[in-house]
Amino acid sequence: MSLALSLDFQYKTSMEKLWSALTDPNKLAKWVCNIHTGQPMENDFKAVVGHRFQFRTQPTEWWNGVIDGEVLVVDEPTRLSYTWASGGEKHTVTWTLQDLGDGQVNLHLDQTGFSNPQGLEGAKYGWSKWCGELEKLFEQ
């Protein structure tokens, strides 16, 4: 059975700035960080369908520190989807952006393909933490 994660985050920003934060590798490194150390995760992300990328951080005794992905969908500025493979699991991450008006944007996350509840809970914790870091980008 495959489990799925669905989360929503609201930001006071523009669609363009939020899209840039999801697709620019330098901006991604500022909010997608090692959740234990806070160190930025190096990446070679490009919003190009078929592009294979990695996020890299310091390995631990439980994890090699690498997330592999491939971009599946780029529909600027409303939808971005890619694979997210790490620790023997491969998921699909899909971001959907919606302009709520008055300078507010909703960011919806769907992540599918979890094989166990522990992985789902870990992803919920990680994305919630990362999306809190993302909010700080818009406060600068």
Side-chain angles (χ1 to χ4, degrees):
M1 180 173 105
S2 176
L3 302 171
L5 176 64
S6 182
L7 296 171
D8 283 280
F9 305 92
Q10 283 80 42
Y11 298 103
K12 189 162 188 66
T13 190
S14 67
M15 293 278 287
E16 294 75 20
K17 286 181 181 175
L18 184 51
W19 180 262
S20 179
L22 292 175
T23 59
D24 178 301
N26 295 320
K27 291 178 183 168
L28 278 166
K30 291 182 179 178
W31 64 275
V32 179
C33 52
N34 183 312
I35 60 172
H36 302 292
T37 66
Q39 293 297 312
M41 291 182 75
E42 293 179 25
N43 70 87
D44 56 354
F45 187 86
K46 290 181 187 162
V48 175
V49 172
H51 176 69
R52 294 181 186 274
F53 62 91
Q54 285 188 330
F55 281 87
R56 295 170 298 283
T57 189
Q58 195 71 19
T60 68
E61 60 185 285
W62 306 282
W63 179 49
N64 70 359
V66 177
I67 299 165
D68 290 298
E70 181 179 352
V71 179
L72 304 173
V73 176
V74 177
D75 186 9
E76 184 176 352
T78 58
R79 193 160 172 261
L80 177 67
S81 183
Y82 44 82
T83 60
W84 186 265
S86 183
E89 294 234 339
K90 184 175 181 180
H91 306 152
T92 299
V93 171
T94 303
W95 297 104
T96 306
L97 292 73
Q98 180 185 9
D99 190 338
L100 301 174
D102 292 327
Q104 295 278 359
V105 179
N106 186 75
L107 179 61
H108 179 78
L109 165 70
D110 282 313
Q111 186 170 357
T112 60
F114 293 96
S115 64
N116 62 69
Q118 294 83 5
L120 178 72
E121 286 304 310
K124 182 178 181 180
Y125 172 80
W127 286 118
S128 296
K129 186 168 176 69
W130 285 341
C131 287
E133 293 298 314
L134 174 57
E135 186 168 24
K136 293 176 185 175
L137 282 182
F138 306 125
E139 294 170 354
Q140 296 174 355

